[in-house]
Amino acid sequence: MAKQKKIILSEEELIDALRKQQKLGIDQLYERYSTALYGVIFRIVQAEEVAEDVMQEAFLKIWNTFGSFDESKGRLFTWIVNIARNLAIDKVRSKDFKNSTKNQDLENTVIQIDTRRNTSYNPDTLGVKELLENLRPEQKVILELVYFKGFTHVEVADELEIPLGTVKTRLRMGVMALRKYFN
Amino acid sequence: MDINAYIASGNLELYANGLLNDQERAEVQALLAQYPELRAELKEIELSLEQYAIANGVEPPAGLKEKIMSSIPAATVIYRLNPMAKYAIAASVALFIFMTGVIVSLVTKVDEKEQQIAQLERIRNPKAVKVTLAGVQSHPDADAVVYWDMDNKEVMIDCVDLPKTDDGHQYQLWALVDGKPVDAGVFEEKETLQQLKKVSQAQAFAVTLEPKGGSENPTLEKMYLYTEL
């Protein structure tokens, strides 16, 4: 039931369009990455209205600061997801937000993937359950805390009461498992 | 540097997740610029994180795209000014200003020349007496020429070789009449002829250096030129 994505530009063309401040660039950025970005944002802020606001802020920031994007320093997606994630974290840490949401304890923060929502609305899904089974639990926790909750590796070490070096190793192991899985 | 050890350290994963501080990030970027193997490794890391994010994506509510597209300011400049054009425009403005300056100075010069020609025309008059003034002992190299039109008594002076005066001083021409000096006008060291006062008669001409505006009587110690007719 998901909308058909209309991807017209290649990633290179997309970057070029954004550099030239052509609105088609934002259109295509949305078509390509809105689902991925929204997933990251939503998992952090946990509220649809807030997630929409952050999404808007993120796209505006991407548009306005695109001049500082440098391909030699990393891929486009990495750049935009970090912008989105940081805005979401800022939102969560802001005073207004803190007053309106209840604190989540650690068990809840480990993502309860809404598989129904995913499989119904995301045709690109590669079987999330299957994906998660490929990750060792300790790697999964760290990936999700870092990637989908915006924890820093230092905060993860504190939260899980494990050494920083262990966090780094598990993160790397988790990413390598992903690589194996996707390749 | 041991590339494999660096890769195994997991720093690139931290970098890809935006977890490094400014200094750490700059260090990684410096290494990335240097080692293609690190760039390749980073690319793999980024690609799999991208897939991971897409796999865990959540469809945004319908209508959000519209909201976002309308909040992006419309591209007001359709034709982007080619960066080179900015330089070209600046250069042509600078050239215009420069040429204006050149034209003004040329016109001024033409004016001056026309004045000089007019003056020269006057002294071509056969009735004009040319008096070469000689430098005195203290200023042997000083030189000037007086043109005295015997018809209308007008006097013009041509400073051939006189030191330049400062702001507080001017030269003064004196016509000696019956032993008494008569003021014939003040002038400065200039390349063009300068018109001075009319002189009805003179037995000699003298030039002294005076305070600006001239003096009632010549400062004899500051005499530069003297010639008897």
Side-chain angles (χ1 to χ4, degrees):
Chain A
M1 283 294 286
K3 243 182 8 165
Q4 267 302 97
K5 302 281 184 214
K6 286 167 285 178
I7 295 186
I8 309 166
L9 300 178
S10 70
E11 181 151 319
E12 243 181 68
E13 291 167 333
L14 168 57
I15 290 172
D16 199 46
L18 285 168
R19 283 222 165 98
K20 292 182 176 152
Q21 297 266 280
Q22 292 167 357
K23 270 179 110 163
L24 177 63
I26 285 287
D27 176 286
Q28 287 293 289
L29 195 72
Y30 195 91
E31 291 298 310
R32 239 179 218 270
Y33 295 126
S34 59
T35 307
L37 289 179
Y38 196 74
V40 170
I41 294 170
F42 187 82
R43 280 171 171 80
I44 295 176
V45 303
Q46 300 272 315
E48 193 163 276
E49 239 182 72
V50 182
E52 283 193 48
D53 284 345
V54 175
M55 216 29 190
Q56 226 174 315
E57 283 173 35
F59 271 83
L60 206 58
K61 187 163 182 184
I62 292 167
W63 174 260
N64 285 330
T65 63
F66 203 78
S68 65
F69 171 64
D70 183 354
E71 298 108 303
S72 68
K73 307 219 162 106
R75 292 180 61 80
L76 174 65
F77 184 75
T78 306
W79 190 72
I80 63 178
V81 82
N82 283 330
I83 287 178
R85 192 189 293 128
N86 288 332
L87 284 171
I89 293 169
D90 287 346
K91 200 68 160 199
V92 165
R93 290 180 184 167
S94 76
K95 233 172 51 153
D96 302 328
F97 190 85
K98 277 189 168 140
N99 291 336
S100 64
T101 40
K102 21 182 230 259
N103 284 329
Q104 307 242 337
D105 46 321
L106 188 58
E107 286 88 85
N108 291 338
T109 60
V110 175
I111 311 306
Q112 293 142 24
I113 309 286
D114 183 343
T115 47
R116 183 179 66 91
R117 189 162 183 176
N118 258 300
T119 51
S120 304
Y121 292 101
N122 188 355
D124 295 327
T125 234
L126 298 155
V128 181
K129 261 181 113 178
E130 207 186 304
L131 164 65
L132 294 180
E133 274 158 23
N134 267 273
L135 292 168
R136 307 249 304 252
E138 65 270 15
Q139 294 161 0
K140 181 182 116 180
V141 168
I142 292 188
L143 257 175
E144 288 177 347
L145 286 175
V146 162
Y147 204 85
F148 288 113
K149 280 317 269 184
F151 274 56
T152 66
H153 49 313
V154 176
E155 288 165 346
V156 171
D158 279 345
E159 199 61 57
L160 301 179
E161 289 171 355
I162 54 179
L164 193 57
T166 309
V167 175
K168 271 175 83 171
T169 309
R170 287 183 188 173
L171 179 61
R172 170 155 172 82
M173 291 297 127
V175 174
M176 284 186 73
L178 288 179
R179 284 163 69 170
K180 233 177 104 185
Y181 178 79
F182 287 116
N183 292 324
Chain B
M1 191 194 79
D2 185 346
I3 300 235
N4 292 323
Y6 189 82
I7 287 175
S9 73
N11 277 334
L12 292 177
E13 280 81 359
L14 293 181
Y15 175 78
N17 280 295
L19 294 174
L20 299 180
N21 65 34
D22 288 346
Q23 191 196 327
E24 292 165 330
R25 195 162 55 243
E27 283 168 12
V28 174
Q29 285 167 354
L31 290 171
L32 286 171
Q34 231 186 320
Y35 298 101
E37 304 95 320
L38 293 186
R39 291 199 291 278
E41 179 73 10
L42 177 67
K43 187 175 172 186
E44 291 303 309
I45 293 168
E46 289 181 291
L47 282 171
S48 46
L49 287 172
E50 188 172 326
Q51 308 267 48
Y52 180 58
I54 288 170
N56 284 295
V58 174
E59 184 92 7
L64 181 57
K65 181 175 179 185
E66 193 53 51
K67 250 196 236 176
I68 287 175
M69 291 306 287
S70 54
S71 72
I72 303 285
T76 45
V77 178
I78 296 173
Y79 297 102
R80 283 220 111 194
L81 201 60
N82 179 349
M84 283 310 292
K86 288 187 202 162
Y87 290 113
I89 289 171
S92 55
V93 167
L95 185 64
F96 176 74
I97 292 171
F98 172 70
M99 286 310 296
T100 306
V102 167
I103 289 170
V104 166
S105 74
L106 283 175
V107 167
T108 311
K109 281 219 172 106
V110 167
D111 260 350
E112 279 176 15
K113 294 300 168 194
E114 282 181 349
Q115 272 179 40
Q116 280 185 359
I117 289 171
Q119 288 173 337
L120 289 169
E121 301 271 87
R122 280 145 81 178
I123 62 179
R124 277 170 78 194
N125 176 0
K127 293 270 184 63
V129 171
K130 176 178 165 179
V131 183
T132 305
L133 303 184
V136 301
Q137 239 185 4
S138 52
H139 299 280
D141 294 324
D143 248 321
V145 176
V146 159
Y147 295 94
W148 188 14
D149 187 320
M150 298 317 284
D151 269 347
N152 54 29
K153 302 298 176 192
E154 279 177 2
V155 170
M156 298 182 83
I157 192 154
D158 182 5
C159 305
V160 177
D161 202 339
L162 276 175
K164 226 171 163 56
T165 50
D166 61 25
D167 264 346
H169 291 93
Q170 279 177 313
Y171 291 113
Q172 194 164 4
L173 179 71
W174 305 92
L176 267 72
V177 182
D178 298 330
K180 290 209 173 83
V182 175
D183 166 42
V186 290
F187 63 97
E188 279 136 37
E189 193 284 325
K190 274 187 191 174
E191 286 201 2
T192 52
L193 294 173
Q194 292 167 78
Q195 176 136 24
L196 302 176
K197 294 184 177 175
K198 288 189 184 175
V199 170
S200 42
Q201 56 166 309
Q203 285 92 47
F205 282 114
V207 168
T208 59
L209 184 68
E210 302 296 340
K212 191 162 183 170
S215 310
E216 274 203 40
N217 291 304
T219 310
L220 296 172
E221 309 79 52
K222 294 279 178 75
M223 192 180 298
Y224 278 73
L225 305 159
Y226 180 86
T227 296
E228 285 170 12
L229 286 96

